[in-house]
Amino acid sequence: MQVVDKMNRLGVESAFEVLVRARALEAQGRSIIHLEIGEPDFPTPKHIVEAGKKALDDGFTKYGPTQGLPVLREAIAADVFASRGVKVGPEHVCVVPGAKPIMYFALMALVQEGDEVIFADPGFPIYESMIRYTGATPVGIPLLEDRGFSLDPNVLREKLSPRTKMVILNSPHNPTGGLIPEKDIAEIAGMLRDRDVMVLSDEIYRRIVYDGTPVSISSYPGMLERTIILDGFSKTYSMTGWRLGYGVMPGWLVNAINTLMVNSNSCTASFTQIAGVTALTGPQGCVDEMVAEFKRRRDAIVAGLNSVPGFRCPKPAGAFYAFANVEGTGMTSKAVADLLLQEAGVACLNGGGFGKHGEGYVRFSYVNSLANIQDAVERIKKLSARWT
Ligand code: PMP
């Protein structure tokens, strides 16, 4: 027996692979500074953990509605209104285990062979993987360093075709930290408003931003009915392991997403959802403090990487990734990332794992203490004798 052919179209996320390699080196006694995985190093805020514990004691340990608990869907709809100014009801919200399933379900429900899906390259690897899995054709838009890694509306205009069924936006962006400016979002909205196209707007890093303000394309005239907002609790509330995310979408799509949910997960864990209500309605100071700390780290890592011979690192506007150009080393980005892990004990990711336009770059997740970030920079500087 063997797995079916279309399994070969699925890709992987290199962050999880590098994490395993880094842990194996640690098990041999090596000192490793982890800058590879995309999850905040902060614990889940205490009041959210307490709410989860109480929910377990209160018996939220059973199946719940496939679409998500009404109390959480109400809280999400209110939060989406407060943050984006778009009026949606709980009936537009689908709660799922982590934000990732919204990508999977939206693509499964909306595209097939013969369709084209536009996405940013470099970008979150699961987009292209899932597009290929559905049989649709991925159409990448290169993100360029000199545009702050922000998607160029003029290139989008050229790539749109009668076969385009979906456009995936992600701002702030993984792996570059780039932000799409408001005027570009407005231009993209104007371009898509009258087309038969859906936008998957991945807004998972919406709260983690230092310069500028992310705007949701859903807030432009005519766009709410063409947009699936993807968001969740993993990054904002440091809840990656709780597996709690959601999509906000037009009513006609909800049934299809629920059908995919009932065929795969049945429902999202109930106690997790109760903790999610507390996350959204409780004090938000924990988020502000985390973002302030990320900003200090961003400034430190960008300055540090720019002092490494052969490296050049633009300042990212959001998320918690520094995307450094390493072409000046004369090595491939994969060789640099491998060398950094093996010789310096600095775990990071080859930008090429995020698409062909990520070649020449290395992604550093600054989800580690300032002291460890400074240590990592010193280790890289010491190693740079190898390429200078
Ligand atoms: N979108 C992007 C751009 C991400 O970087 C991630 C996680 N790395 C996700 C979605 C998935 O989030 P979750 O862990 O909640 O499924």
Side-chain angles (χ1 to χ4, degrees), residues 183-263:
K183 70 166 186 16
D184 288 353
I185 294 277
E187 197 176 335
I188 295 168
M191 224 180 280
L192 300 182
R193 186 164 28 238
D194 299 320
R195 298 183 81 105
D196 203 13
V197 166
M198 287 299 287
V199 177
L200 177 63
S201 183
D202 185 338
E203 302 177 8
I204 193 99
Y205 296 104
R206 188 186 62 81
R207 287 292 304 273
I208 303 170
V209 65
Y210 322 106
D211 308 316
T213 311
V215 285
S216 176
I217 196 162
S218 65
S219 63
Y220 286 84
M223 288 310 295
L224 189 55
E225 54 262 41
R226 284 180 176 70
T227 305
I228 302 153
I229 299 173
L230 175 154
D231 202 346
F233 297 75
S234 296
K235 319 285 176 176
T236 306
Y237 299 103
S238 203
M239 290 176 74
T240 46
W242 294 70
R243 309 311 300 137
L244 187 61
Y246 56 88
V248 181
M249 63 200 74
W252 59 264
L253 185 56
V254 167
N255 196 29
I257 303 301
N258 284 342
T259 304
L260 286 162
M261 256 304 269
V262 87
N263 275 272

Side-chain angles (χ1 to χ4, degrees), residues 51-74:
K53 286 185 190 166
K54 181 170 183 305
L56 285 169
D57 286 337
D58 289 348
F60 284 95
T61 54
K62 301 289 174 78
Y63 291 136
T66 294
Q67 195 173 338
L69 293 173
V71 62
L72 178 60
R73 290 191 287 113
E74 291 276 2

Side-chain angles (χ1 to χ4, degrees), residues 118 120 141-144 146-147 149-159 169 179-181 183-185 187-188 191:
I118 295 179
I141 295 193
L143 295 189
L144 305 180
D146 60 12
R147 273 198 112 257
F149 296 112
S150 152
L151 191 135
D152 186 341
N154 291 322
V155 182
L156 174 61
R157 189 177 288 109
E158 284 163 21
K159 301 267 182 182
L169 300 178
L179 191 74
I180 308 179
K183 70 166 186 16
D184 288 353
I185 294 277
E187 197 176 335
I188 295 168
M191 224 180 280

Side-chain angles (χ1 to χ4, degrees), residues 61-118:
T61 54
K62 301 289 174 78
Y63 291 136
T66 294
Q67 195 173 338
L69 293 173
V71 62
L72 178 60
R73 290 191 287 113
E74 291 276 2
I76 291 169
D79 186 63
V80 166
F81 179 63
S83 56
R84 283 100 164 164
V86 293
K87 229 176 159 30
V88 295
E91 68 280 12
H92 297 115
V93 178
C94 293
V95 176
V96 292
K100 229 182 205 176
I102 290 296
M103 270 168 224
Y104 195 105
F105 295 160
L107 283 158
M108 289 296 280
L110 291 169
V111 308
Q112 59 191 352
E113 222 167 307
D115 297 334
E116 290 175 355
V117 180
I118 295 179

Side-chain angles (χ1 to χ4, degrees), residues 172-178 205 207-210 294 298 316-321 366:
H173 178 254
N174 178 8
T176 67
Y205 296 104
R207 287 292 304 273
I208 303 170
V209 65
Y210 322 106
F294 278 142
R298 175 198 66 163
F320 35 67
Y321 306 113
Y366 38 96

